[in-house]
Amino acid sequence: MSAPLPHHSPADVATLAEAAAQAFPVLAQSSPAKRAQLLRAIADQIEALGDTLIDCVCAESALPRARVQGERGRTTAQLRMFATLAEADLWREPRTDDADPNRQPAPRPRIHSERRPIGPVAVFGASNFPLAFSVAGGDSASALAIGCPVVAKAHPAHPETCRLISGAIDRAVAACALPPAVFQVFFESGFDAGQALVQHPAIKAAAFTGSRRGGMALWRLAQNRRDPIPFFAEMSSVNPVFITPACAKADPEGLATGLVGSMTLGVGQFCTQPGLLFVTRDSAPALVSALIQRVQQVPPGTMLTAAMAAHYRDLVEARRAEANVQVLAEGAVASDPRQAQAMLFGCDLSTFLSNDRLQDEVFGPSSLVIEVDTVQDFETAVANLDGQLTATLWHQPGERDAFTSLLWQLEQKVGRIVFNGYPTGVEVGSATVHGGPFPACSDARFTSVGTRAIDRFLRVVAWQEPA
Amino acid sequence: MSAPLPHHSPADVATLAEAAAQAFPVLAQSSPAKRAQLLRAIADQIEALGDTLIDCVCAESALPRARVQGERGRTTAQLRMFATLAEADLWREPRTDDADPNRQPAPRPRIHSERRPIGPVAVFGASNFPLAFSVAGGDSASALAIGCPVVAKAHPAHPETCRLISGAIDRAVAACALPPAVFQVFFESGFDAGQALVQHPAIKAAAFTGSRRGGMALWRLAQNRRDPIPFFAEMSSVNPVFITPACAKADPEGLATGLVGSMTLGVGQFCTQPGLLFVTRDSAPALVSALIQRVQQVPPGTMLTAAMAAHYRDLVEARRAEANVQVLAEGAVASDPRQAQAMLFGCDLSTFLSNDRLQDEVFGPSSLVIEVDTVQDFETAVANLDGQLTATLWHQPGERDAFTSLLWQLEQKVGRIVFNGYPTGVEVGSATVHGGPFPACSDARFTSVGTRAIDRFLRVVAWQEPA
């Protein structure tokens, strides 16, 4: 029997925020090697938790063991990637405009500018990646790499996991002889402490991954501060997939296997889950029939929390009741209230265009097939789409040039365009973009994954010397 | 007698916004050389307006002719700087993570990402720089350089100037055979059309220079859209100056001449006007006496508008009435209601710390001298300061190392730290930072001047190819 979970009040997180502000100059002025050491030590300490961590994540999240092991590898690799970034110390992007004492009518001073860390960052992780997008995930790693202390909320869906991670962090920070407040974790079952944190004057930026409702509530508080702060929220996305007729006809069985795999991966609990599948009517029959066959074989999956499973059921029931939306296939019936049944819905383009609710995220293993008349209708659909994390185009060799106009449109609406692949699975690297226009994210300019994620937490500062 | 000014309704600007959205793919996909040609053509057309433009700016703004001529040079140089940036085409910052077909457990796809223009930008220029920070100023130039169409509001304080600039723009756009909607100007005496513009779905970002009240009103509308957009507002700053005792004693006459020159430059109508002067009590007498002597000799200056002069008088009267604030010096009395009288106020640190109104911008030729006991009190003052565009440290050779802690503090509060110089005069270059934490700007991360200004209008987008 483990000790009761910590519980932090709004007053407690104010203390954490003030401690983070005290630790900020120490971390920001620490050497690149020191910050790299910290990030690697956190990765090492997470690995040192061994099966205790894996068991805990599996118990709390119901995610399969292999997936959790993979996610641990992704998390530690991410921490080490940011360690390399810290060590390389290239992110400051210094620029100098030289002085010119002879310029008329007045001498030109020397100006030097660099990017600098913005200050303490509040991090609100996601339930669906208890390691990679939670306390020690990409938001925290990107902030620490450039010298921003982190105050992270332990996710109520996996608090024991967060407690283990918090212990690993504390040991890593101590081993690096840094102030404990460079990376602090707080716990609450409700929202008061988190709301207090984003409003605390010592917090200079925040990052959130989760629902649109939760993200926008905190975002609003950040904007309504006396001094508004950057608040990057990664929220909801339905990740449309467009399939050319030639592609749908070429290998309907193989494509259906891949699509249903992506749609039901992790019980559909991915922000990049493909929720909308666009096919032309003439090319649809074989592909849709293959999709139906596979969805019917999907076993019930246990969701991250009972509340999320109940919410999924509500959304599925609501979708069943939408006018002119058909149930194309249902997976095996769930026997446990925390389980989800895979669902495949279908409708035509005019139904889709006339009902904004069909764009809402159904977080879980459910997708909607939209049959259109021609590939030109893809553009009509995109014109009506909200911002997304991803869009996918499945096409045959040589076909891409015929979709230049669609691809331009998609570029305006999404952060990542996938060709002949599946949107689930976000690679972590220097080129990664995990972002997109609202409501996918609160700010279309940034990514929360990959090394570009640091841009969210950097300011530019200049120093001027006389000529 | 010139033709009546155009007047645009909210419906009119909706039409402009939609036209800008139509022009966006054309401009965004135009060649770097084409956008460079456009920016240079605008500069050429502005120069071709000759004395007609200078006469008009002088008549509308009451700014001196030499200053207006200088500002024209700054404006055309700025347009040409962004032409060079467009031509170099380095701003996309492409990154590629190569595919790895052999990676386990799954092949790694190839990811390529680049920065891309965000879309049509709404620009709200300032009254105090009718050329450099208005319709064809840095906001517009930085947006156009990267392919964002601009819809700019003609400033009601200099509408005829804006009409001339608008004509120059139209000729430049036509000469480049680009759609007219790549750069459009709208006119109104009130606020309805501008408010409609920032809320229009086709507008994807906005930039504003002006008052805190005006900036925050539009900023709020942008945040309350169905899809919030980046809104960069450069607003208010009082630009503190810290003078070491050794420096105050070394050349009080020379320093006072420079400070009063900076404080009253352009009748004090600079966002970087030094509004707060911090000196230690022991070193104050000679410097303050030299400041007083010079302020008393400042002739009345004609402000940009009668309303601004009236507002300045109100703020000065309010400051006179503040408890424990002394009038140290008054310039020559104004004889015209559009004129401003230079003012030098004084108070001690405890008065300053206990009264937040003393941090408010008094837009015009007024500064406040704060006498502190020791240089350690500089840090106490900074801890209490709002965000600023600039801060200045006047020091003697070898003294800077004694102010490491103060400089760290200032780095968190301002966008530009000036050593032994005056904050007025913003150099336009690759290293320029004209930004700062709230309320200097709405987002501490960006600058509105210099080539880094493009960062406000860029998104990252990735393309993924199978391994």
Side-chain angles (χ1 to χ4, degrees):
Chain A
M1 178 72 191
S2 60
L5 282 170
H7 178 83
H8 290 79
S9 68
D12 293 334
V13 294
T15 305
L16 301 186
E18 282 145 25
Q22 292 293 319
F24 175 43
V26 179
L27 190 66
Q29 297 173 343
S30 67
S31 69
K34 175 58 74 178
R35 290 194 305 282
Q37 182 196 2
L38 171 63
L39 289 158
R40 290 187 185 121
I42 297 170
D44 293 344
Q45 289 292 340
I46 288 173
E47 284 167 352
L49 291 169
D51 280 350
T52 306
L53 178 64
I54 304 296
D55 293 344
C56 182
V57 177
C58 291
E60 287 193 314
S61 70
L63 290 169
R65 194 165 188 89
R67 144 74 196 268
V68 173
Q69 286 167 328
E71 189 182 330
R72 178 179 58 185
R74 176 202 181 91
T75 306
T76 53
Q78 186 164 255
L79 286 158
R80 292 181 176 120
M81 177 186 77
F82 280 109
T84 304
L85 176 143
E87 215 161 41
D89 205 31
L90 296 171
W91 53 267
R92 298 179 191 275
E93 298 182 0
R95 296 186 183 184
T96 304
D97 293 333
D98 290 331
D100 179 0
N102 301 316
R103 190 186 61 175
Q104 295 303 325
R108 182 182 176 105
R110 176 184 187 273
I111 310 258
H112 176 82
S113 62
E114 294 187 0
R115 303 204 297 174
R116 291 289 171 119
I118 198 166
V121 173
V123 169
F124 298 85
S127 61
N128 58 340
F129 283 83
L131 298 174
F133 283 82
S134 190
V135 165
D139 286 335
S140 297
S142 57
L144 293 170
I146 55 170
C148 294
V150 168
V151 185
K153 176 168 172 168
H155 201 290
H158 51 266
E160 294 294 351
T161 298
C162 293
R163 173 146 65 174
L164 287 172
I165 295 290
S166 178
I169 290 165
D170 289 346
R171 287 188 289 279
V173 171
C176 296
L178 282 164
V182 300
F183 195 166
Q184 303 170 100
V185 181
F186 71 99
F187 293 75
E188 66 171 338
S189 50
F191 304 104
D192 292 353
Q195 289 172 354
L197 185 66
V198 296
Q199 296 178 84
H200 195 282
I203 295 297
K204 298 302 183 190
F208 170 95
T209 311
S211 72
R212 180 166 171 182
R213 187 174 162 189
M216 288 309 289
L218 288 171
W219 179 89
R220 191 72 58 193
L221 292 175
Q223 305 315 312
N224 286 340
R225 286 165 57 120
R226 181 175 175 280
D227 58 328
I229 56 169
F231 186 101
F232 185 83
E234 189 251 281
M235 299 177 292
S236 70
S237 182
V238 288
N239 307 296
V241 177
F242 300 90
I243 302 157
T244 71
C247 202
K249 289 172 187 163
D251 179 19
E253 300 288 329
L255 187 52
T257 300
L259 286 171
V260 174
S262 180
M263 157 195 169
T264 60
L265 190 68
V267 200
Q269 301 166 116
F270 275 64
C271 21
T272 52
Q273 193 257 10
L276 301 176
L277 311 177
F278 290 89
V279 290
T280 60
R281 195 172 314 283
D282 69 302
S283 68
L287 177 62
V288 172
S289 135
L291 288 169
I292 289 170
Q293 195 179 22
R294 280 155 186 79
V295 168
Q296 285 169 342
Q297 290 164 13
V298 174
T302 302
M303 292 194 73
L304 292 158
T305 67
M308 291 169 82
H311 186 55
Y312 173 72
R313 271 193 299 279
D314 289 347
L315 293 173
V316 165
E317 285 315 302
R319 186 141 294 181
R320 280 181 194 272
E322 295 289 358
N324 303 314
V325 173
Q326 292 81 42
V327 174
L328 297 180
E330 303 176 64
V333 174
S335 57
D336 181 298
R338 194 169 156 183
Q339 286 184 334
Q341 178 185 27
M343 296 295 301
L344 190 68
F345 293 95
C347 72
D348 62 17
L349 181 62
S350 67
T351 301
F352 179 74
L353 293 178
S354 63
N355 185 347
D356 284 347
R357 288 187 301 276
L358 298 179
Q359 279 198 49
D360 290 346
E361 189 178 38
V362 177
F363 198 73
S366 170
S367 295
L368 173 64
V369 176
I370 299 108
E371 286 194 17
V372 301
D373 290 335
T374 69
V375 292
Q376 279 71 46
D377 290 335
F378 290 168
E379 296 185 35
T380 311
V382 175
N384 194 53
L385 272 184
D386 281 336
Q388 307 289 341
L389 292 171
T390 75
T392 299
L393 178 65
W394 274 93
H395 65 82
Q396 288 292 94
E399 272 198 310
R400 197 180 297 177
D401 286 353
F403 293 93
T404 307
S405 169
L406 175 70
L407 290 170
W408 161 264
Q409 252 191 319
L410 289 176
E411 190 185 309
Q412 310 318 313
K413 295 272 180 150
V414 315
R416 175 168 54 112
I417 296 174
V418 179
F419 294 108
N420 294 336
Y422 304 99
T424 43
V426 176
E427 297 297 331
V428 180
S430 70
T432 305
V433 176
H434 190 64
F438 190 90
C441 294
S442 55
D443 190 328
R445 295 173 293 182
F446 300 101
T447 172
S448 66
V449 179
T451 55
R452 289 192 201 261
I454 62 172
D455 294 350
R456 298 172 297 167
F457 308 133
L458 287 166
R459 296 170 50 218
V460 279
V461 180
W463 294 264
Q464 176 176 323
E465 305 279 356
Chain B
M1 178 70 190
S2 61
L5 282 170
H7 178 82
H8 289 79
S9 68
D12 293 335
V13 294
T15 305
L16 301 186
E18 282 146 25
Q22 292 293 319
F24 175 44
V26 180
L27 190 65
Q29 296 173 343
S30 67
S31 68
K34 175 58 74 177
R35 290 194 306 282
Q37 182 196 2
L38 171 64
L39 289 158
R40 290 187 184 120
I42 296 170
D44 293 345
Q45 289 292 340
I46 288 173
E47 284 167 353
L49 291 168
D51 281 350
T52 306
L53 178 64
I54 304 297
D55 294 344
C56 182
V57 177
C58 291
E60 287 193 314
S61 70
L63 290 168
R65 195 165 187 88
R67 143 74 196 268
V68 173
Q69 286 168 328
E71 190 181 329
R72 177 179 59 186
R74 175 203 182 90
T75 306
T76 53
Q78 186 165 255
L79 286 158
R80 291 181 177 121
M81 177 186 77
F82 281 108
T84 304
L85 176 143
E87 215 161 41
D89 205 31
L90 297 171
W91 54 267
R92 297 178 192 275
E93 298 182 359
R95 296 186 183 183
T96 304
D97 293 332
D98 289 331
D100 179 0
N102 301 316
R103 191 185 61 173
Q104 294 304 325
R108 183 183 176 104
R110 176 185 187 272
I111 311 259
H112 176 82
S113 63
E114 294 187 0
R115 303 204 296 174
R116 290 289 170 119
I118 198 166
V121 173
V123 169
F124 298 85
S127 61
N128 58 340
F129 283 83
L131 299 174
F133 282 82
S134 189
V135 166
D139 286 335
S140 297
S142 57
L144 292 170
I146 55 169
C148 294
V150 168
V151 185
K153 176 168 172 168
H155 201 289
H158 51 266
E160 294 294 351
T161 298
C162 293
R163 173 144 67 174
L164 286 173
I165 295 290
S166 178
I169 290 164
D170 289 347
R171 287 188 289 280
V173 171
C176 296
L178 282 164
V182 299
F183 195 166
Q184 303 170 100
V185 181
F186 71 99
F187 293 75
E188 66 171 337
S189 50
F191 304 104
D192 292 352
Q195 290 173 354
L197 185 66
V198 296
Q199 295 178 86
H200 195 283
I203 295 297
K204 298 302 184 190
F208 169 95
T209 311
S211 72
R212 181 167 171 181
R213 187 174 161 188
M216 288 309 289
L218 288 170
W219 179 88
R220 191 72 58 193
L221 292 175
Q223 305 315 312
N224 287 339
R225 287 165 57 121
R226 181 175 175 280
D227 58 329
I229 56 169
F231 186 101
F232 185 82
E234 189 251 281
M235 299 177 291
S236 70
S237 183
V238 288
N239 307 295
V241 178
F242 300 89
I243 302 157
T244 71
C247 202
K249 289 172 186 162
D251 179 19
E253 300 289 328
L255 187 53
T257 299
L259 286 170
V260 174
S262 180
M263 156 195 169
T264 60
L265 190 68
V267 200
Q269 300 166 116
F270 275 64
C271 20
T272 52
Q273 193 257 11
L276 301 177
L277 311 177
F278 290 89
V279 291
T280 60
R281 195 172 314 284
D282 68 302
S283 68
L287 177 62
V288 171
S289 139
L291 288 169
I292 289 171
Q293 196 179 20
R294 280 156 186 79
V295 169
Q296 285 170 342
Q297 290 165 13
V298 174
T302 303
M303 292 194 74
L304 292 158
T305 68
M308 291 169 82
H311 186 56
Y312 173 71
R313 272 192 301 279
D314 290 346
L315 293 173
V316 165
E317 285 315 302
R319 186 141 295 182
R320 280 181 195 273
E322 295 289 358
N324 302 315
V325 173
Q326 292 81 42
V327 173
L328 297 180
E330 303 177 62
V333 174
S335 57
D336 180 298
R338 194 170 156 183
Q339 285 183 334
Q341 178 185 28
M343 296 295 301
L344 190 68
F345 293 95
C347 71
D348 61 17
L349 181 62
S350 67
T351 301
F352 179 74
L353 293 178
S354 63
N355 185 347
D356 283 347
R357 289 187 301 276
L358 298 179
Q359 279 199 49
D360 290 346
E361 188 177 39
V362 177
F363 197 73
S366 171
S367 295
L368 173 64
V369 177
I370 299 108
E371 286 194 16
V372 301
D373 290 334
T374 69
V375 292
Q376 278 70 46
D377 290 335
F378 290 168
E379 296 184 35
T380 311
V382 175
N384 194 53
L385 272 183
D386 280 336
Q388 307 289 340
L389 292 171
T390 75
T392 299
L393 178 65
W394 274 93
H395 66 82
Q396 289 292 95
E399 273 198 310
R400 197 180 296 177
D401 286 353
F403 293 93
T404 307
S405 169
L406 175 70
L407 290 169
W408 160 264
Q409 251 191 319
L410 289 176
E411 189 185 309
Q412 310 318 314
K413 296 272 180 149
V414 315
R416 175 168 54 112
I417 296 174
V418 180
F419 293 108
N420 294 336
Y422 304 100
T424 44
V426 176
E427 297 297 332
V428 180
S430 69
T432 305
V433 176
H434 191 63
F438 190 90
C441 294
S442 56
D443 190 328
R445 294 172 294 182
F446 300 101
T447 171
S448 66
V449 179
T451 54
R452 288 192 201 262
I454 62 173
D455 294 349
R456 298 172 297 167
F457 308 133
L458 287 166
R459 295 170 51 217
V460 279
V461 181
W463 294 264
Q464 175 176 323
E465 305 278 356

